Each structure stands twice: as C-alpha cells, then as structure tokens.
C-alpha cells in the first residue's frame, strides 16, 4: 500500500543501528521518505546515503531525544508528516532492585519514556495535519510482564506502554493512529552489549542455546506491516516473540 503524498514522511528515532536502521530501510522501500534521527551522526548519514543509493529517499538529522529544545527545533521543520516511529530506547544493567543503579534507571526512563513523549508532543500537530498520521511506540514484552533483574527496564517500558495506551484514548477522533509494537527476544549487534556495559560474555549468554531469536529485520517487518495497513485499521498492540520464547521467563534453549 503506497502512502498518500501528505503522509509520505516517516521519522524514525534511534535509527543508527538495530531495529531503527532496519525499519528505516523497510519503510523507505515501502515508499516513505524517511528521516533518520539518532545521536551518532556518522551512522545515520551513512545509512541515509545507502537508502538514497538504493533509489529511495532518506535524510539524516543528529538528535538526542531527551533534549527537548533540540527536539522542538527539529520538529519545527515539518508542516506535515505521516509516521513517527519512537524506537530510541534501550536497557542498562540487570541488577536486582536492592542494588540497582538509580542513574541507570533514570537514563532508561529519560530515553524510553521522556524521549518518546518529547517527539510525540512535538510532532503530533504535523501528524494531525497530514490527515492520516501514525504514531508507533516500540515498547517491549518487558512492558507487559516483569522478570528478575529487569525492574528498571521493565518500569521504563511499562511507561512507554501506558503512554501509547493513554494517547490512543485522548486523541480518538483525530486522524492519527497509535500503534504499539512489543518485541520479545531480539538479537541485535548492540542491545545486550550496551545493557552489560560492553561485556561480550554476558551479552552472549542472553541468547545462548536459542536457535532463532528475532532479528532487527523481523521487528522492522512487523512495524512496516502495521504502518501500511489501511488508514481505518489500527493495530493497537502487537506482541512478537521468537517461537522459542513463551514468556519473558520461559525460553527454550538447546544447550
């Protein structure tokens, strides 16, 4: 389904790697003009060049989603956009509540929740003006169930889930859909490595014995499918896990 002209711009946060980069490639291939945002300017510029070389349309804009002044300046460039994919986020640490680092908790909340709030507030007028807008919130199965050692991340993703759910109630009647995509175990180059502060051994243990965890492309395909449904169809919440994962705490491992 080709997007209408007024809805053709898609903004993707956290587009420098993983799910964000894969989503940018797939939405571009689906006919959207993608605007890539992330803090790592070199990476999004390289990705934008790759997408343009493939015959699609992309632009890069270095942005920290937690910097509200910078977000407002970025948003001022758009009269209309069709899609906002709130992908920027991430996890830090896996300590129990008793010893968790409050700085990690604060950073996760700022990125996963306040960053999503900042972009959504700033771009909601342009999404509405398009007459056919879509807000995507990339949460996590962590936003729908707790697990030991994950309380800080779980709390942040619960916040993202509640933001999406409440926004949908508050703007019903406007021409804007609110879609939440909640992935389970996704193996990307950076997620677990960042969570464990670069410790490769700990990062690999997350996926040990799991034959086929989800990939960034799997999640991007899910996002693109949801976004490209007809305008009157809203995918409120889509939870996607690998077949080997029955819940946040039940995973089949072939060890």
């Amino acid at each position: 389904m080709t997007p209408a002209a007024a809805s053709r711009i898609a903004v993707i946060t956290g587009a420098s790697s993983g799910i964000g980069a894969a989503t940018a490639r797939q939405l571009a291939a689906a006919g959207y003009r993608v605007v890539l945002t992330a803090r790592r300017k070199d990476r999004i510029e390289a990705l934008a060049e790759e997408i343009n070389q493939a015959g699609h349309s992309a632009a890069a804009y270095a942005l920290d989603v937690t910097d509200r002044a910078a977000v407002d300046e970025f948003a001022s460039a758009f009269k209309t956009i069709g899609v906002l994919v709130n992908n920027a986020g991430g996890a830090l640490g896996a300590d129990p509540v008793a010893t968790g680092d409050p700085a990690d908790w604060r950073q996760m909340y700022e990125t996963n929740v306040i960053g999503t709030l900042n972009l959504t507030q700033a771009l909601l007028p342009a999404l509405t003006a398009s007459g056919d807008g879509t807000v995507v919130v990339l949460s996590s199965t962590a936003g729908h169930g707790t697990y030991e050692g994950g309380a800080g991340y779980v709390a942040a993703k619960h916040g993202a889930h509640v933001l999406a759910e409440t926004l949908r109630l508050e703007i019903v009647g406007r021409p804007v859909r609110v879609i939440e995509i909640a992935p389970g175990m996704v193996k990307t180059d950076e997620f677990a490595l960042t969570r464990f502060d670069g410790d490769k051994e700990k990062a690999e243990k997350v996926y040990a014995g799991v034959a086929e965890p989800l990939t960034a492309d799997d999640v991007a395909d899910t996002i693109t499918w949801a976004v490209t449904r007809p305008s009157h169809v809203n995918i409120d919440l889509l939870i996607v896990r690998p077949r080997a994962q029955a819940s946040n705490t039940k995973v089949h491992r072939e060890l």
Side-chain angles (χ1 to χ4, degrees):
M1 182 177 167
T2 303
S7 315
R8 202 165 287 155
I9 297 173
V11 174
I12 302 110
T13 69
S16 59
S17 66
I19 293 169
T23 300
R25 292 185 180 99
Q26 292 198 27
L27 285 178
Y32 287 90
R33 296 171 52 207
V34 293
V35 179
L36 318 177
T37 74
R39 289 174 298 175
R40 293 179 291 187
K41 184 179 179 183
D42 57 333
R43 290 205 176 195
I44 55 173
E45 286 181 343
L47 178 56
E49 183 177 358
E50 172 198 318
I51 290 170
N52 288 323
Q53 288 286 337
H56 307 306
S57 178
Y61 191 103
L63 183 67
D64 179 349
V65 297
T66 68
D67 183 338
R68 185 53 188 259
V71 168
D72 286 341
E73 182 179 356
F74 166 72
S76 69
F78 302 97
K79 291 183 178 179
T80 67
I81 69 165
V83 178
L84 166 62
V85 180
N86 286 298
N87 168 71
L92 296 172
D95 297 319
V97 172
T99 57
D101 186 344
D104 285 348
W105 282 52
R106 187 172 294 110
Q107 185 174 338
M108 285 187 284
Y109 190 85
E110 285 285 338
T111 306
N112 290 282
V113 184
I114 302 301
T116 296
L117 177 67
N118 284 342
L119 266 295
T120 302
Q121 285 183 338
L123 289 172
L124 192 56
L127 287 155
T128 304
S130 76
D132 186 18
T134 300
V135 176
V136 177
V137 174
L138 196 77
S139 64
S140 167
T141 55
H144 299 270
T146 61
Y147 60 91
E148 293 167 295
Y153 182 59
V154 166
K157 286 303 189 183
H158 268 78
H161 162 63
V162 169
L163 186 157
E165 190 173 55
T166 307
L167 177 64
R168 192 179 302 114
L169 296 173
E170 292 172 344
I171 66 170
V172 66
R174 298 193 205 179
V176 179
R177 302 180 295 179
V178 181
I179 294 170
E180 179 186 351
I181 305 295
M185 181 181 285
V186 185
K187 187 174 184 179
T188 65
D189 292 337
E190 296 187 333
F191 179 83
L193 201 60
T194 299
R195 183 170 202 168
F196 295 109
D197 198 26
D199 189 321
K200 291 184 178 180
E201 185 176 350
K202 284 186 178 180
E204 285 301 319
K205 283 182 179 179
V206 173
Y207 311 104
V210 180
E212 291 182 288
L214 296 178
T215 67
D217 282 332
D218 292 330
V219 181
D221 181 57
T222 302
I223 293 169
T224 302
W225 175 83
V227 166
T228 55
R229 293 312 84 206
S231 298
H232 69 287
V233 177
N234 195 100
I235 308 301
D236 284 13
L237 168 63
L238 200 160
I239 293 175
V240 53
R241 291 187 174 102
R243 186 174 61 190
Q245 183 183 30
S247 75
N248 289 344
T249 56
K250 182 72 172 180
V251 180
H252 175 68
R253 299 179 188 271
E254 299 175 358
L255 299 174

